[in-house]
Amino acid sequence: MLLRTAYHLAALLVLPPLLLGVVNRTKAFFAGRAGPPLVQPYLDLWKLLRKGAVYSRTTSWVFRAGPVIGLASIASAGLLLAMGGAPAAISFAGDFVLFAYLLGLARFVTALAALDTGSAFEGMGAAREVTFASLAEPAVFLVLLVLARATASLSLGGMLGPQLGAAWAGAAPALLLAAISLFVVALAENARIPVDDPNTHLELTMIHEVMVLDHGGPDLALIQYGAALKLFLFGAILSRIVFLPGVTGALAQEALFLLGVLAFAVGVGVVESAMARLRMVRIPQLLVGASVLSAFAIVLLLR
Amino acid sequence: MYLFVIAAPLVAAAVAFAVGSNERRPLALLAGALAHGAGVAALFVAPAPDRPGAWLALDAMGAVILLTITLLSVAASVYAQGYLRRRADRDNRVFVGGLLVLLSAMTTVALSHHLGLSWVAIEITTLATAPLIYFNHNARSLEAAWKYLLICSLGIALALMGTFFLALSGAAPGGPRSLLVEDLVAAGPALSGPWVRAAFVFLLVGYGTKMGLAPLHSWKPDAYGEAPGLLGAILAGGVTNLAFLSIARVFQVARAAGEDAFARDALVYMGLLSIALAAVFMVRQRDFKRMLAYSSVEHMGILALGIGIGGGAAAGAFFHTVNNGLTKGVLFLSAANIHRAYGSKLTDEVRGAARRLPLSGPLFLAGFLAVTGSPPFAPFFSEFAILYGAIGAGKFVVGGLYLAFLAIIFVGMGATVLGIVQGDPGDAPSVPGTSDGWLSAGPPLVLLLLVLVLGLWLPDGLRDLFASAAALVGGTSWE
Amino acid sequence: MASLLELAFILVVVIDLFVLASSRMGAAIRVVAMQGVVLGALPLLLAPPGHPLGHYVLLAGGALAIKGVLIPWLMFRAIREASIRREMDPVVGFVPSMVLGGIGVALAFAFSGRLPLPEPAHPFLVPTALSTAWAGMLLVVSRRKAVNQVLGFLVLENGVFVFGLLLSGFMPMMVEAGVLLDLFAAVFVMGIVMFHINREFSSLDTEKLSALKD
């Protein structure tokens, strides 16, 4: 058990940039290019860590603290997550609320750091990001509620644990709807197409990118790594929900979990290649649609 | 015999569609209406014996409505001869054929005792009427036709849901499992209460849309305003009555199932709402055909109020279906003549109709007096019977509101009608070749005389017919 | 079999929500066509085992042909004639429509248990029927393009059709055949009127049909 938990922590720390690599490689494949090597994000992080940082005179300690607190909160959220069917490192009843709010805290400090620069540009990005996040929150909570109701458990460890396999037998449609809703929310929270384009640098179209525009060097490395971690966390939850949670046997569970996370990354890449970014007025529709879908899933379970 | 009455207009419709000549086609309309009239007369004189389990039968309620439809359709088909001759520029194939199909469908509703068949026939009336509203082929009538089609189809779909609810209410093992009115009424308390209540609501809303009860009446001013007057007469005097008949039949079932109080309240409220709304919109109405549409809303409200109150008011309501139907015929046909003579239906432009059209103008005035309930015309007696029933049942507030709204409508409508009829035509716009003729003024004159006669002397046979119709919905005669 | 039925009902409701949310008319028509196909499969899924399948196959085929093929084809022709692709500005916005539709679904699923069913039927049948009817009514009342109003009417009739399946025990053919025929006739007439509207107003925006008012 301890070995397994240690393995999970190691995976949590090491795997996320690989996910980014898989996403980029998938997009390249669809575009007919060869694409960057899978380990490219690691190399980028290494490069950034060795650089120096320049800080604007208008910023304060908030700007410097932002990336650090952000990464810390996301990593702590990772500790709460039960991966691959094994219990989480830290687990207690109601920890899913803490999970959601740790992710929220990360977004909060990033937005604060953006506002701290005193530039209207970052402020605009922060405003957009926070608006869309407020629409995505209900969807996240509704999905977690669906899981809680289906597995009759109030802790992430229980929700994603062995009861999930049994829950699929009785509540399959609801779980399917919740998974779809969570996928849409994952795209929104991680600033992926169709909500936001991670590769764009045009002023009017950036949401997340513009918030972190002023960070450089190690700070940027922390932010990028944190973003990769967040993607991994969502991928872990989705993988656990969708990829045969009923299977027992530690090795099979871990293998399926990894497969699931990689499949999630490929899925994100496919969606990014197949769709264009939505107009910003349509994004509330998308997010409310995801909320309504998961609300419907709960109604199904409440009968 | 029932089948003959339904089939005769259809055969005439087939002939109308087949005939190539625009001039001869209206004769098919006349022939179909007369054959239909003869069949109905035969049914009244020698009623067919009742077969249990029959889908088509003539009961008291159906007889009342069938009487009105037949009289109106004969009058309208005579009028149509002159009208279609004047409108020789339009191809009247769809119009004539559609009117005959409409007549056949209307007869089916009156005769049908199977609620599923009633629904199909009412749906056919909706679909057949839409192209007829578009007869004038201009933007306004197209808009009217679209709104009519959409809103009435919506209502009919809800009515279908209601019909299903009703079927479900009798679907328990041991229940009647049928949509025949007799079976459902006989089963009475065995029907499942919640389903009957839900069915009544949906059917009231659905058929109420077709009837034009507020707040589901929004299609009426547009449709009646833009349709040819002859169609307006048939719609206002016939089709709305049929929707009323269907609601009355459902009311029969609801009473038998014990949902009496709920159903009555719903009917009274919607009735009062309709009369109130008509009163509001009729004041300062600039278009006299739209005014007639609101008058139709008002009278449908009166009908709903009548059977909702029950007792003597129910018999008054059935008497009122005949009166309202015939009077609407007078009003719409004479209004159509006025519209055509002046080329406009706005009160700003139409003046002195009594002078320019010595028959249609006074007929319009007389029709106004009749429809607002002035003695000695028949509607006075039917509306009074409803008031008397309300007071007798102790519903003083309802009776008081009813009187107040009727007074407002009299004043509002009077201002418009008097403005049109009185005065000097002078330089009001005039269309040549549109003076009164026998074909255009005769039918409304005959209908008005009928309304007058019914007011002065109601034959005992008819009185008994209204009483037996009322008895079906828990009412009594009004004496 | 049972879970397939459940999936079918849920798919119908998800399609309702999608149509309420979508502004792209081509996508909406396709998705309603898919709903028609699912509804065509429902009589077969609901047929009690041991019954002769003939009637049900006929009904399923009819529903498939009319709802899945014929009517979508009519609608696509209408939008091609009028060259419209999107509903721009409905009376009730897309997000409120979706929320209202979702509330309707929730209420339907919550309270359908109160209505006593004469014979045991799948617990999702009545709520699905009511939610679909509600979504259809919302669409008819809140959209401005004529094609979308007709689409709403279609969805409403789909809801009524699902409800009619409850009666298939003792009034099989008449009920469903009636619904199908009604749908076909109504949409046919509406199609003709839409053609005239397009010719007269050069647009299928019912906002232009506003000359008549008090």
Side-chain angles (χ1 to χ4, degrees):
Chain A
M1 202 37 55
L2 201 58
L3 198 63
R4 213 163 160 196
T5 311
Y7 161 69
H8 280 160
L9 285 178
L12 179 69
L13 289 176
V14 170
L15 278 183
L18 181 65
L19 273 194
L20 275 187
V22 170
V23 173
N24 288 333
R25 201 63 187 269
T26 316
K27 282 164 71 169
F29 169 73
F30 271 91
R33 298 179 274 125
L38 283 174
V39 298
Q40 184 62 37
Y42 295 102
L43 302 174
D44 287 338
L45 286 175
W46 179 237
K47 171 191 80 174
L48 284 170
L49 281 173
R50 285 179 302 149
K51 281 189 167 183
V54 176
Y55 294 108
S56 155
R57 267 193 284 268
T58 53
T59 61
S60 63
W61 63 271
V62 175
F63 186 74
R64 274 160 257 229
V68 178
I69 302 181
L71 180 59
S73 39
I74 298 183
S76 320
L79 284 179
L80 290 171
L81 193 63
M83 293 187 258
I90 306 175
S91 160
F92 51 90
D95 61 5
F96 65 94
V97 180
L98 182 61
F99 179 78
Y101 278 104
L102 279 173
L103 293 181
L105 179 65
R107 179 173 40 246
F108 176 63
V109 295
T110 314
L112 266 188
L115 290 172
D116 193 44
T117 62
S119 157
F121 213 20
E122 277 84 349
M124 168 192 86
R128 286 176 182 171
E129 168 90 11
V130 170
T131 311
F132 295 143
S134 65
L135 289 171
E137 283 272 305
V140 171
F141 270 106
L142 284 171
V143 168
L144 289 173
L145 272 175
V146 169
L147 282 176
R149 174 90 185 167
T151 56
S153 149
L154 280 179
S155 137
L156 270 179
M159 284 188 225
L160 300 173
Q163 296 108 303
L164 194 53
W168 264 99
L175 284 173
L176 194 60
L177 286 176
I180 296 176
S181 178
L182 188 61
F183 186 71
V184 172
V185 169
L187 290 175
E189 290 265 345
N190 292 293
R192 298 268 134 198
I193 288 177
V195 175
D196 179 18
D197 188 354
N199 291 330
T200 182
H201 287 94
L202 301 171
E203 305 169 5
L204 291 179
T205 57
M206 289 195 273
I207 303 176
H208 188 81
E209 287 295 310
V210 70
M211 280 202 300
V212 302
L213 207 58
D214 263 1
H215 295 277
D219 290 335
L220 190 59
L222 290 180
I223 290 181
Q224 283 189 350
Y225 181 61
L229 254 186
K230 197 163 162 187
L231 190 66
F232 180 80
L233 289 180
F234 275 95
I237 300 181
L238 265 174
S239 155
R240 186 63 195 138
I241 297 180
V242 174
F243 266 72
L244 299 177
V247 169
T248 49
L251 212 57
Q253 283 180 335
E254 295 298 338
L256 275 175
F257 173 71
L258 272 181
L259 198 61
V261 173
L262 286 175
F264 169 72
V266 170
V268 170
V270 169
V271 169
E272 292 220 305
S273 312
M275 288 184 70
R277 228 202 60 169
L278 285 178
R279 285 175 54 197
M280 287 217 198
V281 292
R282 303 246 175 256
I283 296 180
Q285 274 172 253
L286 182 70
L287 291 172
V288 172
S291 307
V292 170
L293 216 57
S294 30
F296 181 44
I298 292 201
V299 167
L300 284 178
L301 284 179
L302 283 176
R303 292 194 100 247
Chain B
M1 181 45 80
Y2 297 133
L3 287 176
F4 170 76
V5 171
I6 295 177
L10 279 179
V11 168
V15 168
F17 278 114
V19 163
S21 145
N22 232 26
E23 284 107 49
R24 301 243 188 262
R25 220 175 276 129
L27 290 173
L29 182 59
L30 190 60
L34 286 175
H36 175 259
V40 171
L43 271 179
F44 271 82
V45 164
D50 278 336
R51 287 174 9 240
W55 283 24
L56 297 171
L58 191 63
D59 68 348
M61 288 201 286
V64 170
I65 310 286
L66 195 55
L67 183 64
T68 318
I69 305 176
T70 314
L71 288 169
L72 263 181
S73 64
V74 170
S77 58
V78 171
Y79 181 89
Q81 306 305 309
Y83 174 74
L84 287 173
R85 206 177 302 152
R86 285 187 209 207
R87 300 295 304 273
D89 54 307
R90 298 244 68 127
D91 179 24
N92 55 31
R93 186 189 305 251
V94 173
F95 192 70
V96 170
L99 272 179
L100 287 164
V101 171
L102 185 62
L103 181 59
S104 170
M106 281 164 41
T107 314
T108 313
V109 180
L111 289 175
S112 162
H113 277 230
H114 187 275
L115 289 172
L117 182 61
S118 302
W119 179 84
V120 172
I122 292 193
E123 169 72 351
I124 294 182
T125 66
T126 308
L127 293 178
T129 312
L132 302 182
I133 297 181
Y134 186 46
F135 182 61
N136 288 323
H137 275 263
N138 55 21
R140 294 168 61 97
S141 58
L142 187 57
E143 177 182 339
W146 177 253
K147 286 185 184 164
Y148 174 80
L149 191 55
L150 205 61
I151 297 179
C152 285
S153 297
L154 187 58
I156 299 281
L158 289 176
L160 183 59
M161 195 84 132
T163 312
F164 284 167
F165 284 178
L166 208 56
L168 262 184
S169 74
R177 299 197 146 207
S178 138
L179 273 177
L180 282 171
V181 176
E182 284 81 23
D183 292 345
L184 287 170
V185 168
L191 297 175
S192 159
W195 284 114
V196 170
R197 194 179 297 219
F200 185 76
V201 169
F202 271 76
L203 283 164
L204 182 60
V205 169
Y207 288 143
T209 308
K210 201 76 179 95
M211 197 171 148
L213 285 176
L216 311 154
H217 67 291
S218 54
W219 56 272
K220 249 194 185 174
D222 300 337
Y224 289 6
E226 301 306 318
L230 139 73
L231 182 65
I234 295 186
L235 288 179
V239 176
T240 49
N241 275 345
L242 288 166
F244 171 68
L245 176 66
S246 307
I247 293 184
R249 292 211 199 279
V250 180
F251 183 54
Q252 259 186 295
V253 175
R255 279 194 65 241
E259 297 293 330
D260 190 61
F262 169 76
R264 281 192 196 282
D265 282 342
L267 283 167
V268 167
Y269 287 139
M270 277 189 92
L272 276 179
L273 183 64
S274 304
I275 307 177
L277 214 123
V280 168
F281 277 93
M282 253 208 271
V283 177
R284 291 182 174 275
Q285 180 59 245
R286 288 177 63 238
D287 178 333
F288 58 79
K289 277 173 124 176
R290 284 175 84 88
M291 176 193 76
L292 292 180
Y294 284 112
S295 171
S296 175
V297 174
E298 171 212 344
H299 285 274
M300 291 302 119
I302 294 178
L303 289 180
L305 190 64
I307 56 170
I309 294 176
F318 282 104
F319 185 26
H320 197 68
T321 61
V322 178
N323 297 339
N324 178 54
L326 297 177
T327 315
K328 282 293 184 304
V330 175
L331 280 169
F332 272 94
L333 292 179
S334 51
N337 291 340
I338 298 176
H339 181 194
R340 197 173 40 254
Y342 285 80
S344 157
K345 49 192 173 84
L346 299 175
T347 54
D348 303 337
E349 294 169 15
V350 178
R351 270 187 316 282
R355 304 245 176 110
R356 195 178 284 178
L357 299 166
L359 277 176
S360 298
L363 272 174
F364 193 57
L365 182 62
F368 150 69
L369 286 173
V371 97
T372 48
S374 313
F377 293 106
F380 169 73
F381 295 99
S382 53
E383 288 178 10
F384 183 73
I386 295 178
L387 178 65
Y388 193 64
I391 309 256
K395 300 196 186 212
F396 298 113
V397 176
V398 171
L401 282 174
Y402 171 59
L403 265 184
F405 294 142
L406 284 183
I408 299 176
I409 289 174
F410 182 80
V411 171
M413 200 169 172
T416 310
V417 171
L418 287 173
I420 291 173
V421 169
Q422 287 182 327
D424 184 23
D427 52 354
S430 153
V431 177
T434 57
S435 52
D436 272 339
W438 283 114
L439 277 179
S440 63
L445 184 60
V446 168
L447 289 175
L448 185 72
L449 288 174
L450 269 176
V451 172
L452 189 58
V453 163
L454 277 177
L456 291 174
W457 169 69
L458 185 60
D460 280 337
L462 272 182
R463 194 190 297 263
D464 293 337
L465 186 63
F466 298 139
S468 12
L472 284 173
V473 286
T476 58
S477 164
W478 63 77
E479 253 98 28
Chain C
M1 232 358 142
S3 66
L4 202 61
L5 198 54
E6 216 172 77
L7 270 178
F9 285 130
I10 293 182
L11 188 58
V12 169
V13 177
V14 170
I15 290 180
D16 294 334
L17 294 173
F18 181 82
V19 179
L20 281 172
S22 165
S23 68
R24 301 201 329 258
M25 292 186 348
I29 298 177
R30 265 189 219 104
V31 142
V32 173
M34 190 161 42
Q35 195 181 50
V37 170
V38 173
L39 286 179
L42 274 179
L44 290 173
L45 287 174
L46 279 175
H51 252 69
L53 271 187
H55 278 168
Y56 294 99
V57 170
L58 207 63
L59 185 60
L64 194 80
I66 295 183
K67 290 186 206 267
V69 176
L70 198 61
I71 292 184
W73 175 77
L74 269 171
M75 312 272 273
F76 270 116
R77 266 195 62 179
I79 62 176
R80 199 169 41 237
E81 290 264 330
S83 330
I84 35 175
R85 284 271 132 197
R86 276 183 180 265
E87 168 95 29
M88 275 301 134
D89 182 23
V91 175
V92 180
F94 292 108
V95 170
S97 303
M98 229 189 317
V99 172
L100 280 174
I103 293 179
V105 168
L107 288 176
F109 273 84
F111 290 112
S112 301
R114 301 275 182 86
L115 291 168
L117 287 177
E119 319 172 317
H122 195 277
F124 283 2
L125 198 152
V126 174
T128 306
L130 292 176
S131 330
T132 312
W134 169 245
M137 258 198 297
L138 264 181
L139 280 171
V140 172
V141 166
S142 72
R143 294 292 144 106
R144 292 200 204 278
K145 291 277 189 295
V147 175
N148 278 333
Q149 288 173 341
V150 177
L151 207 61
F153 178 70
L154 205 60
V155 173
L156 174 59
E157 286 277 352
N158 280 351
V160 178
F161 180 88
V162 173
F163 200 84
L165 290 174
L166 268 180
L167 301 173
S168 58
F170 56 99
M171 274 195 225
M173 281 294 96
M174 192 190 62
V175 160
E176 304 292 9
V179 181
L180 280 178
L181 271 165
D182 158 59
L183 184 61
F184 173 66
V187 175
F188 185 68
V189 176
M190 286 181 191
I192 295 182
V193 178
M194 279 201 287
F195 166 71
H196 281 281
I197 292 181
N198 188 33
R199 220 175 41 173
E200 183 80 32
F201 295 94
S202 308
S203 146
L204 275 182
D205 191 342
T206 57
E207 269 290 276
K208 303 233 164 61
L209 300 181
S210 54
L212 301 174
K213 55 167 68 93
D214 279 314

